[in-house]
Each structure stands twice: as C-alpha cells, then as structure tokens.
Amino acid sequence: MKRLLTGLVVAALLALSGCTGDAPASGDGAAAPTGPPCLTPVESPAAASKDGKPLPAMAVKCFDGGRYVDAALLGNTPTILNLWGSYCEPCRTELPAFQRFVTAAGGKVRVVGVVVKDSRSAAQSVIDDKKLTFPMLEDRDQQFSIALSQAVGKPVSSALPATLFVAPGGRIVHTYQGEALDEEKIRALTAGYLGIEVPA
C-alpha cells in the first residue's frame, strides 16, 4: 500500500513537469526564487548512448518555482549536470565558467545546475551575483543526489562540486569531482565524453 501511495504521489508530481504555474512559498522564510528557468524538452539529433549508467527515474524540484520535472528530461539532449551549493567555495569559483561555456555552446549541449542541501535564499544570492541563466533544480533533501550517487557507484553530494556528463538516452557517461573546473577543462571533458566540440 505504501508503494502504491508513493507511486501515485510521484505520478502526480510528474504531471506538473514544465515548472509552470503559481510558485508556492519557499519554505525557508524567503520569497519564491526567480531567475533561470527550469527544464523544457529539447530535441537532440544525436543517437542515444548505450554506455554509462542510466539516470534515476524520479521527479526533481525546479528551483524557479516549486514545481517538479521528470529527471528523464535530462536525457533527451547532451547534458552536463553541475551539483553545487552556496557554502562550497570551488562551486562558486566554477559557476561563472559554466555560464560562459553555456554561451559558447550555443545550444549544442545543455548545462543544468543542481542546488544541493542549500537554502533558497543563499543559492538565489549566488545565482544573482554570478548572473547565471542556465536551468536550475533544487535538491535540498539530497534525494536526487543520493540517487545519482547510487547510479554512478560513488558519492556525489558529499564532495561538491560534482559534474556529471549525460549522453542522449539518459546515460551518465562520466562523473568529475576534483578542482574547480575552468572553461578549457569543461570543453575538454565535453569533447571527450559527449563528443561535442565547443569553440573557445
């Protein structure tokens, strides 16, 4: 019975995909966040990859308004997932590099931020300060990052920043955890694991 109820709740959440509608209160005393939009379906000309680990099937909260989106949308185009938090200095260091990379990529690859275990107000401050425009998901309870950790076989939320490269078809083909990334390293990893060349 518990599984049935859980399934019904997830199904209801997935029905809200697209992150539209009135935003509820943020839950931490701050106004609902604004800024980068949530995920929208994107058609990819690339063939689906059979390599790597599959993305977890679950609903993930949009940062921009409290709705939920199907994590499977992350697999419909080459995607880079960047897990970060305002409390993480290397995260704040590399976020502008991701923003510049997004501009240079011109839609050939999608970057999605995942705000992990952070307050909305603190994360919103970073988004505003760094002028970030790429989509953001919210993972305050770490359910998504824990599911990602299980998928790739190593913890991704306990050592931020963490960057996952997702090939078309929803397969995680590489996980990077280390020093803050710069544009050159992001381009090299994108070319190496997603087969996409992004000009400098």
Side-chain angles (χ1 to χ4, degrees):
M1 184 66 178
K2 185 176 180 181
R3 285 185 179 178
L4 177 61
L5 289 174
T6 301
L8 291 173
V9 170
V10 171
L13 294 177
L14 293 180
L16 296 173
S17 282
C19 310
T20 58
D22 296 333
S26 69
D28 64 2
T34 58
C38 200
L39 295 178
T40 54
V42 177
E43 293 298 325
S44 173
S49 173
K50 295 182 180 178
D51 298 325
K53 303 292 185 179
L55 283 165
M58 63 188 302
V60 187
K61 197 172 188 179
C62 296
F63 185 84
D64 71 341
R67 300 302 188 192
Y68 287 76
V69 66
D70 186 351
L73 286 176
L74 296 168
N76 61 16
T77 190
T79 297
I80 300 172
L81 283 179
N82 180 243
L83 281 66
W84 66 277
S86 65
Y87 49 84
C88 163
E89 182 62 37
C91 299
R92 296 195 303 273
T93 297
E94 72 181 14
L95 283 168
F98 275 107
Q99 181 61 54
R100 292 189 294 271
F101 174 83
V102 166
T103 301
K108 291 194 292 185
V109 59
R110 175 169 56 187
V111 173
V112 178
V114 182
V115 182
V116 180
K117 200 179 179 181
D118 206 352
S119 72
R120 288 187 179 182
S121 56
Q124 184 68 59
S125 178
V126 173
I127 290 169
D128 293 343
D129 181 58
K130 306 296 184 183
K131 297 179 173 58
L132 305 178
T133 63
F134 51 91
M136 295 286 174
L137 301 175
E138 182 179 6
D139 191 28
R140 291 182 72 184
D141 58 9
Q142 301 184 79
Q143 288 188 8
F144 185 47
S145 51
I146 288 171
L148 289 172
S149 298
Q150 293 170 343
V152 300
K154 62 180 179 178
V156 296
S157 63
S158 60
L160 297 181
T163 303
L164 285 67
F165 293 78
V166 182
R171 311 289 289 191
I172 304 168
V173 293
H174 183 64
T175 303
Y176 174 86
Q177 288 174 287
E179 295 181 1
L181 292 167
D182 57 20
E183 287 176 80
E184 183 178 359
K185 184 67 172 176
I186 297 170
R187 288 195 301 272
L189 290 170
T190 301
Y193 291 100
L194 297 180
I196 298 172
E197 299 285 345
V198 174

